[in-house]
Amino acid sequence: MLADRRILLIIGGGIAAYKSLSLIRLLKGAGAAVTPVLTKAGAEFVTALSVGALAGEKVHSALFDLTAEAEMGHIELSRSADLIVVAPATADLMARMATGQADDLASTLLLATDTPVLLAPAMNVRMWQHAATQRNLATLRGDGIRFVGPDDGAMACGEFGPGRMAEPEAIFAAIASAFEAGPLQGRHVLVTSGPTHEPIDPVRFIANRSSGAQGTAIAAALRDLGARVTFVTGPAEVAPPQGVAVVRVETAVQMLAAVSAALPADAAVMAAAVADWRVLNASGSKMKKDGSGQAPALQFVENPDILASVSKGHTRPRLVVGFAAETDDVLANARAKRLRKGCDWIVANDVSPETGIMGGAENAVTLIRAEGEEVWPRMAKDDVARRLALCIADALKDE
Ligand code: CTP
């Protein structure tokens, strides 16, 4: 599995850096080549001599190293690797990656590459739990960065909790599995996400509170399992994930056209909050007050139901998944919606304002299928996405 693979190993500054020495031994033992990069802070914890001796290769550390540039430029260094591993990944390095900084060799390599990246975070428990680190984690996950650990346990700083770097064996296993084909390899999955905007006139529109967070997380999770993802998104707050084909639309009618053009697909997940109606008498020029005090009367016409048309269309994906965002009688409405729209599964959630789900980071859903219903505990939208992606992979596996 790892024979002849080249791993670029970035060793950051943390007490866990010593574990990277065992990781190098495991990788070398499995036949992989290891190109080590030691950050300035990393060199405070392990020496270039021991890293270089174990890897059997030159240790890179300076961004502006004339000899290294002559032999192999820093861009080439990252591109020639099959996988980039950062162990330990410090809170600081995660923050610099999340904001796209390139102020030393490690961060420059990470920014200059499209090679898959695996991080093994290691930091004090409070640093790990800090909102800033959790925000950076979510950003990096959205960018397609993989993670192993951190583990829970006693830490060198004397505290206890999550933040300890994963053991070298666990990092090694994560590296090995990064080279396995994901269960959705070769599958095409279509995902809709975000709100739609329905114009009233050239400067005004009708919208809804969907941020696009859940749809974006689903697209990223499907991509991580190896799927080719087409991501049709309305004007969302959350940026689309890396590594998927993004089609941006504004209105429901445009979304239907983009979805139809993206078929065929093996599965479709319709997470968009599509406006049910559009304005029939939308004005081509800005509507003005006419001084009479009379408000304009907007007339509405129903939008096409994208989920229903995909579920009932000729090029129906084998698996069609809809969402039911409800505020009352959530399950009863969702069950009826599944049958009415003809989709296979419905992910039901309660979006009453007091749940904080719409626009929030968490979701509490029930997955409704013909064969039964599963109530999932409240969890991060990223976790809902990963669990749903695994269910989709399972449903598509026998063909
Ligand atoms: N949906 C769609 N096209 C529409 C409306 C909804 O594809 N015009 C999809 C959504 O992406 C979601 C599912 O249908 O997967 C349910 O959306 P929801 O807004 O909850 O349902 P509605 O069709 O609006 O039903 P109701 O008016 O009963 O709430």
Side-chain angles (χ1 to χ4, degrees), residues 285-310:
S285 50
K286 187 183 169 197
M287 289 162 84
K288 307 284 282 179
K289 294 188 284 294
D290 64 6
S292 68
Q294 194 121 64
L298 297 180
Q299 290 169 32
F300 290 93
V301 61
E302 203 169 315
N303 265 330
D305 191 313
I306 303 166
L307 176 61
S309 70
V310 168

Side-chain angles (χ1 to χ4, degrees), residues 270-272 274-276 304-307 322-326 337 340-341:
M270 306 303 214
V274 184
D276 288 327
D305 191 313
I306 303 166
L307 176 61
F323 272 72
E326 308 286 346
K337 208 168 267 185
R340 193 170 68 242
K341 300 204 180 206

Side-chain angles (χ1 to χ4, degrees), residues 176-202:
S177 76
F179 289 108
E180 278 165 18
L184 286 173
Q185 200 73 42
R187 303 283 188 203
H188 176 213
V189 186
L190 173 64
V191 178
T192 68
S193 182
T196 62
H197 284 181
E198 306 297 334
I200 296 171
D201 69 15

Side-chain angles (χ1 to χ4, degrees), residues 50-390:
S50 42
V51 170
L54 286 170
E57 293 201 22
K58 175 181 160 60
V59 179
H60 301 265
S61 49
L63 180 55
F64 300 107
D65 175 340
L66 282 180
T67 333
E69 280 302 314
E71 286 166 4
M72 183 193 260
H74 59 262
I75 305 276
E76 186 49 33
L77 193 59
S78 61
R79 301 226 176 125
S80 60
D82 298 302
L83 179 73
I84 301 182
V85 178
V86 187
T90 60
D92 174 66
L93 190 50
M94 282 176 60
R96 286 190 289 132
M97 283 177 76
T99 49
Q101 293 184 47
D103 52 3
D104 67 355
L105 181 62
S107 53
T108 304
L109 291 173
L110 288 160
L111 194 64
T113 190
D114 53 6
T115 302
V117 177
L118 173 73
L119 297 193
M123 66 196 73
N124 167 272
V125 53
R126 298 264 180 279
M127 289 170 84
W128 174 253
Q129 287 169 338
H130 195 284
T133 303
Q134 291 300 309
R135 229 175 11 247
N136 293 333
L137 174 68
T139 301
L140 293 170
R141 277 206 170 121
D143 289 348
I145 306 291
R146 295 158 185 251
F147 285 83
V148 49
D151 290 349
D152 254 43
M155 304 183 56
C157 54
E159 289 186 58
F160 193 90
R164 242 167 75 133
M165 189 167 88
E167 293 304 320
E169 293 73 17
I171 303 175
F172 177 80
I175 292 171
S177 76
F179 289 108
E180 278 165 18
L184 286 173
Q185 200 73 42
R187 303 283 188 203
H188 176 213
V189 186
L190 173 64
V191 178
T192 68
S193 182
T196 62
H197 284 181
E198 306 297 334
I200 296 171
D201 69 15
V203 295
R204 303 181 178 95
F205 55 82
I206 294 172
N208 60 64
R209 294 187 197 281
S210 165
S211 64
Q214 188 62 85
T216 300
I218 291 167
L222 292 163
R223 169 207 63 198
D224 288 348
L225 296 185
R228 174 168 74 83
V229 177
T230 302
F231 185 65
V232 179
T233 178
E237 272 170 41
V238 175
Q242 300 280 314
V244 303
V246 181
V247 184
R248 291 175 202 272
V249 298
E250 208 164 304
T251 66
V253 168
Q254 291 168 358
M255 188 172 274
L256 175 63
V259 162
S260 308
L263 292 172
D266 296 288
V269 183
M270 306 303 214
V274 184
D276 288 327
W277 300 280
R278 66 180 180 280
V279 181
L280 181 62
N281 56 340
S283 168
S285 50
K286 187 183 169 197
M287 289 162 84
K288 307 284 282 179
K289 294 188 284 294
D290 64 6
S292 68
Q294 194 121 64
L298 297 180
Q299 290 169 32
F300 290 93
V301 61
E302 203 169 315
N303 265 330
D305 191 313
I306 303 166
L307 176 61
S309 70
V310 168
S311 298
K312 296 171 186 170
H314 315 296
T315 35
R316 187 192 198 279
R318 189 147 76 88
L319 180 69
V320 181
V321 183
F323 272 72
E326 308 286 346
T327 55
D328 306 285
D329 299 326
V330 178
L331 291 181
N333 274 321
R335 286 177 199 127
K337 208 168 267 185
R338 190 180 80 82
L339 299 175
R340 193 170 68 242
K341 300 204 180 206
C343 57
D344 301 295
W345 303 352
I346 278 267
V347 182
N349 60 355
D350 184 344
V351 291
S352 309
E354 63 275 16
T355 63
I357 283 174
M358 211 147 189
E362 289 185 336
N363 208 349
V365 309
T366 300
L367 179 61
I368 301 178
R369 312 188 233 205
E371 55 275 29
E373 297 180 6
E374 271 177 34
V375 182
W376 294 1
R378 191 175 171 119
M379 59 180 99
K381 286 184 176 173
D382 282 347
D383 292 327
V384 170
R386 276 192 284 275
R387 191 157 163 180
L388 185 64
L390 286 171

Side-chain angles (χ1 to χ4, degrees), residues 36-62:
V37 173
L38 190 56
T39 68
K40 198 160 170 255
E44 299 288 335
F45 294 90
V46 288
T47 67
L49 196 61
S50 42
V51 170
L54 286 170
E57 293 201 22
K58 175 181 160 60
V59 179
H60 301 265
S61 49

